[in-house]
PDB file of all heavy atoms in Angstrom:
ATOM      1  N   GLN A  19      -8.520  22.957   4.636  1.00 98.00           N
ATOM      2  CA  GLN A  19      -8.838  21.549   4.433  1.00 98.00           C
ATOM      3  C   GLN A  19      -9.862  21.071   5.463  1.00 98.00           C
ATOM      4  O   GLN A  19      -9.777  21.401   6.633  1.00 98.00           O
ATOM      5  CB  GLN A  19      -7.573  20.688   4.550  1.00 98.00           C
ATOM      6  CG  GLN A  19      -6.448  21.093   3.633  1.00 98.00           C
ATOM      7  CD  GLN A  19      -6.766  20.885   2.152  1.00 98.00           C
ATOM      8  OE1 GLN A  19      -7.759  20.225   1.803  1.00 98.00           O
ATOM      9  NE2 GLN A  19      -5.952  21.465   1.289  1.00 98.00           N
ATOM     10  N   MET A  21     -12.619  17.493   6.473  1.00 98.00           N
ATOM     11  CA  MET A  21     -12.829  16.059   6.274  1.00 98.00           C
ATOM     12  C   MET A  21     -14.183  15.833   5.591  1.00 98.00           C
ATOM     13  O   MET A  21     -15.095  16.657   5.759  1.00 98.00           O
ATOM     14  CB  MET A  21     -12.879  15.322   7.619  1.00 98.00           C
ATOM     15  CG  MET A  21     -11.694  15.572   8.497  1.00 98.00           C
ATOM     16  SD  MET A  21     -11.794  14.622  10.018  1.00 98.00           S
ATOM     17  CE  MET A  21     -12.995  15.561  10.968  1.00 98.00           C
ATOM     18  N   LEU A  28     -16.272  18.845   6.828  1.00 98.00           N
ATOM     19  CA  LEU A  28     -16.355  19.237   8.230  1.00 98.00           C
ATOM     20  C   LEU A  28     -14.983  19.456   8.868  1.00 98.00           C
ATOM     21  O   LEU A  28     -13.990  18.830   8.485  1.00 98.00           O
ATOM     22  CB  LEU A  28     -17.065  18.141   9.040  1.00 98.00           C
ATOM     23  CG  LEU A  28     -18.503  17.807   8.640  1.00 98.00           C
ATOM     24  CD1 LEU A  28     -19.003  16.619   9.453  1.00 98.00           C
ATOM     25  CD2 LEU A  28     -19.418  19.013   8.854  1.00 98.00           C
ATOM     26  N   ASP A  29     -14.959  20.346   9.868  1.00 98.00           N
ATOM     27  CA  ASP A  29     -13.809  20.450  10.770  1.00 98.00           C
ATOM     28  C   ASP A  29     -13.919  19.323  11.795  1.00 98.00           C
ATOM     29  O   ASP A  29     -14.983  18.700  11.936  1.00 98.00           O
ATOM     30  CB  ASP A  29     -13.840  21.784  11.516  1.00 98.00           C
ATOM     31  CG  ASP A  29     -13.649  22.951  10.559  1.00 98.00           C
ATOM     32  OD1 ASP A  29     -12.805  22.834   9.649  1.00 98.00           O
ATOM     33  OD2 ASP A  29     -14.355  23.972  10.738  1.00 98.00           O
ATOM     34  N   ALA A  30     -12.845  19.112  12.552  1.00 98.00           N
ATOM     35  CA  ALA A  30     -12.934  18.182  13.681  1.00 98.00           C
ATOM     36  C   ALA A  30     -13.895  18.770  14.709  1.00 98.00           C
ATOM     37  O   ALA A  30     -13.958  19.997  14.875  1.00 98.00           O
ATOM     38  CB  ALA A  30     -11.556  17.983  14.295  1.00 98.00           C
ATOM     39  N   ALA A  31     -14.641  17.893  15.403  1.00 98.00           N
ATOM     40  CA  ALA A  31     -15.592  18.391  16.412  1.00 98.00           C
ATOM     41  C   ALA A  31     -14.866  19.244  17.445  1.00 98.00           C
ATOM     42  O   ALA A  31     -15.415  20.226  17.964  1.00 98.00           O
ATOM     43  CB  ALA A  31     -16.292  17.208  17.072  1.00 98.00           C
ATOM     44  N   SER A  32     -13.642  18.873  17.760  1.00 98.00           N
ATOM     45  CA  SER A  32     -12.861  19.618  18.758  1.00 98.00           C
ATOM     46  C   SER A  32     -12.300  20.918  18.208  1.00 98.00           C
ATOM     47  O   SER A  32     -11.784  21.747  18.944  1.00 98.00           O
ATOM     48  CB  SER A  32     -11.676  18.758  19.212  1.00 98.00           C
ATOM     49  OG  SER A  32     -10.790  18.599  18.110  1.00 98.00           O
ATOM     50  N   GLY A  33     -12.340  21.075  16.879  1.00 98.00           N
ATOM     51  CA  GLY A  33     -11.736  22.244  16.232  1.00 98.00           C
ATOM     52  C   GLY A  33     -10.225  22.099  16.069  1.00 98.00           C
ATOM     53  O   GLY A  33      -9.568  22.976  15.500  1.00 98.00           O
ATOM     54  N   GLN A  34      -9.665  20.992  16.527  1.00 98.00           N
ATOM     55  CA  GLN A  34      -8.207  20.823  16.449  1.00 98.00           C
ATOM     56  C   GLN A  34      -7.747  20.506  15.033  1.00 98.00           C
ATOM     57  O   GLN A  34      -8.465  19.860  14.267  1.00 98.00           O
ATOM     58  CB  GLN A  34      -7.768  19.697  17.378  1.00 98.00           C
ATOM     59  CG  GLN A  34      -7.847  20.125  18.827  1.00 98.00           C
ATOM     60  CD  GLN A  34      -7.072  19.189  19.736  1.00 98.00           C
ATOM     61  OE1 GLN A  34      -6.757  18.065  19.369  1.00 98.00           O
ATOM     62  NE2 GLN A  34      -6.802  19.656  20.935  1.00 98.00           N
ATOM     63  N   THR A  35      -6.556  20.993  14.736  1.00 98.00           N
ATOM     64  CA  THR A  35      -5.960  20.696  13.438  1.00 98.00           C
ATOM     65  C   THR A  35      -4.561  20.104  13.651  1.00 98.00           C
ATOM     66  O   THR A  35      -4.025  20.154  14.758  1.00 98.00           O
ATOM     67  CB  THR A  35      -5.827  21.963  12.567  1.00 98.00           C
ATOM     68  OG1 THR A  35      -5.001  22.897  13.262  1.00 98.00           O
ATOM     69  CG2 THR A  35      -7.177  22.580  12.267  1.00 98.00           C
ATOM     70  N   MET A  36      -4.003  19.549  12.593  1.00 98.00           N
ATOM     71  CA  MET A  36      -2.616  19.066  12.638  1.00 98.00           C
ATOM     72  C   MET A  36      -1.923  19.455  11.327  1.00 98.00           C
ATOM     73  O   MET A  36      -2.567  19.533  10.286  1.00 98.00           O
ATOM     74  CB  MET A  36      -2.569  17.559  12.871  1.00 98.00           C
ATOM     75  CG  MET A  36      -3.332  16.739  11.867  1.00 98.00           C
ATOM     76  SD  MET A  36      -3.502  15.033  12.432  1.00 98.00           S
ATOM     77  CE  MET A  36      -2.426  14.210  11.289  1.00 98.00           C
ATOM     78  N   SER A  37      -0.643  19.712  11.416  1.00 98.00           N
ATOM     79  CA  SER A  37       0.055  20.183  10.220  1.00 98.00           C
ATOM     80  C   SER A  37       0.761  19.023   9.527  1.00 98.00           C
ATOM     81  O   SER A  37       1.023  17.971  10.126  1.00 98.00           O
ATOM     82  CB  SER A  37       1.058  21.272  10.594  1.00 98.00           C
ATOM     83  OG  SER A  37       1.979  20.757  11.515  1.00 98.00           O
ATOM     84  N   GLU A  49      -2.508  22.416   6.900  1.00 98.00           N
ATOM     85  CA  GLU A  49      -3.126  21.817   8.097  1.00 98.00           C
ATOM     86  C   GLU A  49      -4.395  21.089   7.702  1.00 98.00           C
ATOM     87  O   GLU A  49      -5.060  21.478   6.741  1.00 98.00           O
ATOM     88  CB  GLU A  49      -3.473  22.920   9.096  1.00 98.00           C
ATOM     89  CG  GLU A  49      -2.250  23.584   9.683  1.00 98.00           C
ATOM     90  CD  GLU A  49      -2.567  24.257  11.013  1.00 98.00           C
ATOM     91  OE1 GLU A  49      -3.749  24.567  11.241  1.00 98.00           O
ATOM     92  OE2 GLU A  49      -1.636  24.439  11.795  1.00 98.00           O
ATOM     93  N   VAL A  50      -4.703  20.054   8.436  1.00 98.00           N
ATOM     94  CA  VAL A  50      -5.967  19.330   8.235  1.00 98.00           C
ATOM     95  C   VAL A  50      -6.623  19.151   9.610  1.00 98.00           C
ATOM     96  O   VAL A  50      -5.936  19.228  10.643  1.00 98.00           O
ATOM     97  CB  VAL A  50      -5.752  17.931   7.603  1.00 98.00           C
ATOM     98  CG1 VAL A  50      -5.394  18.024   6.141  1.00 98.00           C
ATOM     99  CG2 VAL A  50      -4.713  17.125   8.376  1.00 98.00           C
ATOM    100  N   PRO A  51      -7.926  18.881   9.621  1.00 98.00           N
ATOM    101  CA  PRO A  51      -8.572  18.595  10.906  1.00 98.00           C
ATOM    102  C   PRO A  51      -7.913  17.385  11.572  1.00 98.00           C
ATOM    103  O   PRO A  51      -7.516  16.433  10.890  1.00 98.00           O
ATOM    104  CB  PRO A  51     -10.016  18.261  10.523  1.00 98.00           C
ATOM    105  CG  PRO A  51     -10.209  18.848   9.160  1.00 98.00           C
ATOM    106  CD  PRO A  51      -8.870  18.841   8.500  1.00 98.00           C
ATOM    107  N   SER A  52      -7.800  17.433  12.876  1.00 98.00           N
ATOM    108  CA  SER A  52      -7.261  16.302  13.632  1.00 98.00           C
ATOM    109  C   SER A  52      -8.430  15.593  14.312  1.00 98.00           C
ATOM    110  O   SER A  52      -8.942  16.036  15.349  1.00 98.00           O
ATOM    111  CB  SER A  52      -6.245  16.806  14.663  1.00 98.00           C
ATOM    112  OG  SER A  52      -5.705  15.719  15.359  1.00 98.00           O
ATOM    113  N   ALA A  53      -8.862  14.513  13.706  1.00 98.00           N
ATOM    114  CA  ALA A  53     -10.093  13.834  14.150  1.00 98.00           C
ATOM    115  C   ALA A  53      -9.876  13.129  15.481  1.00 98.00           C
ATOM    116  O   ALA A  53      -8.809  12.568  15.749  1.00 98.00           O
ATOM    117  CB  ALA A  53     -10.539  12.826  13.100  1.00 98.00           C
ATOM    118  N   SER A  54     -10.917  13.138  16.297  1.00 98.00           N
ATOM    119  CA  SER A  54     -10.923  12.380  17.560  1.00 98.00           C
ATOM    120  C   SER A  54     -11.907  11.223  17.398  1.00 98.00           C
ATOM    121  O   SER A  54     -12.525  11.047  16.346  1.00 98.00           O
ATOM    122  CB  SER A  54     -11.383  13.286  18.694  1.00 98.00           C
ATOM    123  OG  SER A  54     -12.715  13.670  18.421  1.00 98.00           O
ATOM    124  N   ALA A  55     -12.080  10.477  18.494  1.00 98.00           N
ATOM    125  CA  ALA A  55     -13.018   9.353  18.471  1.00 98.00           C
ATOM    126  C   ALA A  55     -14.426   9.823  18.103  1.00 98.00           C
ATOM    127  O   ALA A  55     -15.183   9.101  17.434  1.00 98.00           O
ATOM    128  CB  ALA A  55     -13.028   8.661  19.831  1.00 98.00           C
ATOM    129  N   ASP A  57     -15.294  12.219  15.990  1.00 98.00           N
ATOM    130  CA  ASP A  57     -15.391  12.382  14.529  1.00 98.00           C
ATOM    131  C   ASP A  57     -15.438  11.015  13.841  1.00 98.00           C
ATOM    132  O   ASP A  57     -16.167  10.814  12.877  1.00 98.00           O
ATOM    133  CB  ASP A  57     -14.192  13.172  14.002  1.00 98.00           C
ATOM    134  CG  ASP A  57     -14.085  14.532  14.651  1.00 98.00           C
ATOM    135  OD1 ASP A  57     -14.996  15.350  14.450  1.00 98.00           O
ATOM    136  OD2 ASP A  57     -13.101  14.775  15.386  1.00 98.00           O
ATOM    137  N   VAL A 225     -11.498  10.587   7.318  1.00 98.00           N
ATOM    138  CA  VAL A 225     -11.163  11.270   8.577  1.00 98.00           C
ATOM    139  C   VAL A 225      -9.642  11.434   8.632  1.00 98.00           C
ATOM    140  O   VAL A 225      -8.906  10.463   8.508  1.00 98.00           O
ATOM    141  CB  VAL A 225     -11.657  10.496   9.832  1.00 98.00           C
ATOM    142  CG1 VAL A 225     -13.159  10.600   9.978  1.00 98.00           C
ATOM    143  CG2 VAL A 225     -11.235   9.045   9.810  1.00 98.00           C
ATOM    144  N   THR A 226      -9.214  12.681   8.758  1.00 98.00           N
ATOM    145  CA  THR A 226      -7.782  12.944   8.887  1.00 98.00           C
ATOM    146  C   THR A 226      -7.462  13.024  10.371  1.00 98.00           C
ATOM    147  O   THR A 226      -8.233  13.576  11.151  1.00 98.00           O
ATOM    148  CB  THR A 226      -7.419  14.267   8.205  1.00 98.00           C
ATOM    149  OG1 THR A 226      -8.298  15.301   8.674  1.00 98.00           O
ATOM    150  CG2 THR A 226      -7.549  14.158   6.699  1.00 98.00           C
ATOM    151  N   GLY A 227      -6.334  12.455  10.755  1.00 98.00           N
ATOM    152  CA  GLY A 227      -5.982  12.498  12.180  1.00 98.00           C
ATOM    153  C   GLY A 227      -4.815  11.583  12.444  1.00 98.00           C
ATOM    154  O   GLY A 227      -4.305  10.916  11.538  1.00 98.00           O
ATOM    155  N   THR A 228      -4.417  11.537  13.673  1.00 98.00           N
ATOM    156  CA  THR A 228      -3.255  10.713  14.019  1.00 98.00           C
ATOM    157  C   THR A 228      -3.663   9.243  14.139  1.00 98.00           C
ATOM    158  O   THR A 228      -4.831   8.917  14.369  1.00 98.00           O
ATOM    159  CB  THR A 228      -2.658  11.157  15.368  1.00 98.00           C
ATOM    160  OG1 THR A 228      -3.636  10.911  16.373  1.00 98.00           O
ATOM    161  CG2 THR A 228      -2.255  12.617  15.363  1.00 98.00           C
ATOM    162  N   ASN A 231      -5.002   8.590  17.754  1.00 98.00           N
ATOM    163  CA  ASN A 231      -6.375   8.990  18.065  1.00 98.00           C
ATOM    164  C   ASN A 231      -7.368   8.429  17.045  1.00 98.00           C
ATOM    165  O   ASN A 231      -8.109   7.500  17.338  1.00 98.00           O
ATOM    166  CB  ASN A 231      -6.488  10.521  18.102  1.00 98.00           C
ATOM    167  CG  ASN A 231      -5.778  11.088  19.311  1.00 98.00           C
ATOM    168  OD1 ASN A 231      -5.769  10.482  20.380  1.00 98.00           O
ATOM    169  ND2 ASN A 231      -5.153  12.235  19.162  1.00 98.00           N
ATOM    170  N   ALA A 232      -7.335   8.997  15.835  1.00 98.00           N
ATOM    171  CA  ALA A 232      -8.330   8.599  14.824  1.00 98.00           C
ATOM    172  C   ALA A 232      -8.157   7.133  14.423  1.00 98.00           C
ATOM    173  O   ALA A 232      -9.146   6.392  14.309  1.00 98.00           O
ATOM    174  CB  ALA A 232      -8.206   9.513  13.605  1.00 98.00           C
TER     175      ALA A 232
END
Side-chain angles (χ1 to χ4, degrees):
Q19 305 294 348
M21 306 183 283
L28 299 175
D29 294 319
S32 67
Q34 287 196 342
T35 60
M36 56 192 250
S37 59
E49 292 202 337
V50 287
S52 182
S54 63
D57 302 296
V225 287
T226 51
T228 64
N231 290 325

